[in-house]
Amino acid sequence: MPLPDPAPDTAALRFPPGFHWGAATSAYQIEGATAEDGRTPSIWDTFCRTPGKVHGGDTGDVAADHYHRLREDVRLMAELGLTAYRFSIAWPRVQPTGRGPANPRGLDFYRRLADELLAAGITPVATLYHWDLPQELEEAGGWPQRRTAEHFAAYAALAGEALGDRITRWTTLNEPWCSAFLGYGSGVHAPGRTDPVAALRAAHHLNLAHGLAVTALRSVLPAGAEVSVALNAHALRPLTPSAADRDAVRRIDAVGNRVFLGPMLDGGYPADLLADTAHLTDWSFVHSGDQAAIHQRLDWLGVNYYTPTVVSATPEDAEPARADGHGAGGASPWPGADRVGFHQAPGERTAMDWAVDPSGLYELLTALARSHPELPLMVTENGAAYPDGPGPRGSVDDPRRTAYLHAHLAAVHRSVVDGADVRGYFAWSLLDNFEWAYGYSRRFGLVHVDYRTLARSPRSSAHWYARVARTGVLHPPGAG
Ligand code: FCB
């Protein structure tokens, strides 16, 4: 997209016309109503009920109660000037147990959501999988099983067929790295397994699920519909410029980024990833034809970014790293990279302890634009956790979130100036919500949620973001 002339105020940054201004959420994190209208349990319902897995024993049973408040929430989005809304469809809601016929009541909820959005002039952007695998499919083996990918493709066809008249922007998977390596590697996310081989198998079957779903969606969606995937590409930095630390970056890039980017965008797994993990598996779970099935043209790539990742080589006898930004688990989420240490990036930190550093987003967007110049990009998640709640007069002031969003939007703008074809930005998140292993203890919302009354109160960052969304112009910090 060409950039218009700079805004009259030379320091103001003007985004391209048609740029999508959005906010993002996911089903399990906001919907609640986990046992209503035919929804069956997902792996997160089970995980939340496993003692010690989720902060405070929190569950998604009520969450932000979005299932019952969708009209109010869409009204809020309209007030905030959003032009797009990224949400996810709960697989166990629309296809209970993950196989077989659709559940009409589950589909109806997403029809109503899409209708409300369209009536408000907001483009719906639906993700098929934001981590809520039907529990029955986990019991049949979960993502380490090839069958799960085939079931996912059938679910994609079912959802696309039922909702494709209203929803024309689709994302197959959200952050398959987390599903595979936190779900089956470190065990910090559902289903909580700690088996490096299962994690690698899961990664491959998620890749396959993505490729099969792209094909399935394209066979049922109208012409012009857009299909994508959202990845949490890690912006990596070596602790020092030493060859050993740069090799640590290479390893994490392989098992953190190229394990998905390689097959999805370039048609195969990187040779160094296969070598790094050869002591664990011969990758014979990759069947002939899989690489072609995975390597599908995409209409855009979603990039989720929060903070950079700093790594170094560690001594032979060091303990493997057990944590990533989502918490420490019982094992490493980085198969084949046992001798890599993780370090705190410099700078101010959010309530997740994640360093604020927008240069990582700029680097990711411009690197992807260089390696895949024909592929449009979308920032599908970016945001910060800060606890700010209502003050004495009821307003919720969160200047640090505004500063975070401002700095990251400036980085997106700079990447566009430097040639990246970025089509939109989705703030994470619209509402405070269930933050996985952290339960309700971390708040990412533009809108504060009082979990006792479920009242919504837009924070000052929401009002600030609304002005940016309405004008498409980012003014210098403090200029209003
Ligand atoms: C991302 C997830 C999203 C949310 C943010 C903070 O990894 O996609 O659901 O938890 O982190």
Side-chain angles (χ1 to χ4, degrees):
M1 279 191 204
L3 274 177
D5 290 339
D9 172 358
T10 48
L13 307 175
R14 205 180 276 287
F15 282 76
F19 191 83
H20 292 293
W21 294 100
T25 63
S26 87
Y28 191 70
Q29 293 180 277
I30 64 163
E31 285 180 1
T34 48
E36 276 178 53
D37 295 336
R39 182 189 179 280
T40 54
S42 80
I43 52 176
W44 271 95
D45 295 283
T46 309
F47 194 66
C48 288
R49 284 177 170 70
T50 312
K53 295 298 185 191
V54 173
H55 174 92
D58 291 346
T59 74
D61 289 1
V62 177
D65 196 34
H66 170 71
Y67 192 76
H68 299 120
R69 287 163 200 258
L70 84 91
R71 294 186 76 167
E72 177 190 344
D73 288 342
V74 173
R75 222 179 304 125
L76 207 49
M77 292 179 220
E79 279 163 26
L80 297 182
L82 302 188
T83 62
Y85 173 52
R86 173 177 183 255
F87 59 96
S88 81
I89 295 173
W91 187 352
R93 209 181 272 298
V94 305
Q95 191 188 33
T97 78
R99 293 173 261 224
N103 170 24
R105 287 178 298 168
L107 286 171
D108 265 359
F109 170 73
Y110 297 104
R111 279 201 189 97
R112 282 189 285 125
L113 174 60
D115 286 346
E116 292 288 337
L117 290 167
L118 293 169
I122 301 170
T123 302
V125 182
T127 298
L128 282 167
Y129 187 72
H130 201 127
W131 308 354
D132 41 5
L133 184 71
Q135 178 63 30
E136 271 206 34
L137 293 188
E138 172 59 21
E139 273 149 36
W143 286 112
Q145 276 299 327
R146 187 177 182 86
R147 266 280 177 76
T148 306
E150 289 155 12
H151 290 311
F152 183 74
Y155 154 59
L158 172 158
E161 205 153 48
L163 301 169
D165 55 344
R166 296 159 163 88
I167 302 173
T168 55
R169 264 61 167 209
W170 291 80
T171 298
T172 55
L173 307 173
N174 177 70
E175 300 191 0
W177 185 84
C178 294
S179 302
F181 296 100
L182 302 183
Y184 296 90
S186 69
V188 95
H189 280 182
R193 290 207 241 162
T194 52
D195 172 352
V197 179
L200 292 168
R201 292 176 64 98
H204 176 60
H205 297 133
L206 283 153
N207 272 320
L208 184 60
H210 159 78
L212 297 176
V214 171
T215 304
L217 283 171
R218 288 226 169 94
S219 71
V220 296
L221 291 177
E226 298 174 4
V227 183
S228 64
V229 66
L231 302 179
N232 54 324
H234 300 78
L236 294 163
R237 276 115 200 237
L239 184 64
T240 76
S242 71
D245 287 0
R246 280 185 285 117
D247 190 60
V249 165
R250 179 200 60 73
R251 276 177 192 267
I252 299 304
D253 185 42
V255 73
N257 297 337
R258 289 179 287 119
V259 60
F260 298 107
L261 290 168
M264 287 181 183
L265 302 187
D266 304 324
Y269 286 100
D272 60 331
L273 172 67
L274 305 187
D276 290 349
T277 54
H279 61 294
L280 296 168
T281 171
D282 60 4
W283 289 73
S284 53
F285 46 81
V286 181
H287 295 184
S288 84
D290 284 4
Q291 310 266 22
I294 299 166
H295 188 203
Q296 298 296 327
R297 180 183 65 76
L298 298 179
D299 293 290
W300 43 270
L301 175 70
V303 175
N304 294 0
Y305 172 82
Y306 292 89
T307 190
T309 304
V310 180
V311 299
S312 69
T314 59
E316 289 284 308
D317 53 358
E319 271 280 289
R322 301 219 152 161
D324 93 308
H326 290 269
S332 167
W334 307 102
D338 287 351
R339 304 277 163 263
V340 176
F342 290 77
H343 305 267
Q344 183 64 51
E348 191 207 317
R349 299 184 199 176
T350 69
M352 295 295 282
D353 226 16
W354 296 349
V356 178
D357 185 349
S359 66
L361 181 55
Y362 172 83
E363 284 160 21
L364 284 176
L365 295 172
T366 49
L368 284 162
R370 274 194 306 275
S371 60
H372 298 87
E374 75 299 340
L375 182 63
L377 302 171
M378 199 87 91
V379 178
T380 32
E381 280 182 33
N382 175 241
Y386 292 111
D388 307 291
R393 285 191 308 280
S395 67
V396 194
D397 287 331
D398 58 341
R400 290 171 298 178
R401 180 173 290 101
T402 302
Y404 181 100
L405 296 174
H406 192 288
H408 286 76
L409 276 167
V412 174
H413 189 274
R414 191 155 69 88
S415 78
V416 176
V417 170
D418 291 347
D421 182 6
V422 187
R423 303 281 175 96
Y425 175 91
F426 292 80
W428 183 272
S429 178
L430 176 70
L431 303 168
D432 286 341
N433 61 48
F434 173 79
E435 180 46 40
W436 308 115
Y438 291 91
Y440 296 98
S441 70
R442 300 292 189 280
R443 292 175 178 267
F444 275 91
L446 292 169
V447 176
H448 175 271
V449 176
D450 179 329
Y451 290 118
R452 277 176 307 114
T453 61
L454 295 162
R456 277 88 162 117
S457 311
R459 293 186 164 100
S460 52
S461 60
H463 298 302
W464 172 87
Y465 188 61
R467 274 199 303 281
V468 181
R470 287 220 173 81
T471 58
V473 178
L474 189 65
H475 290 282

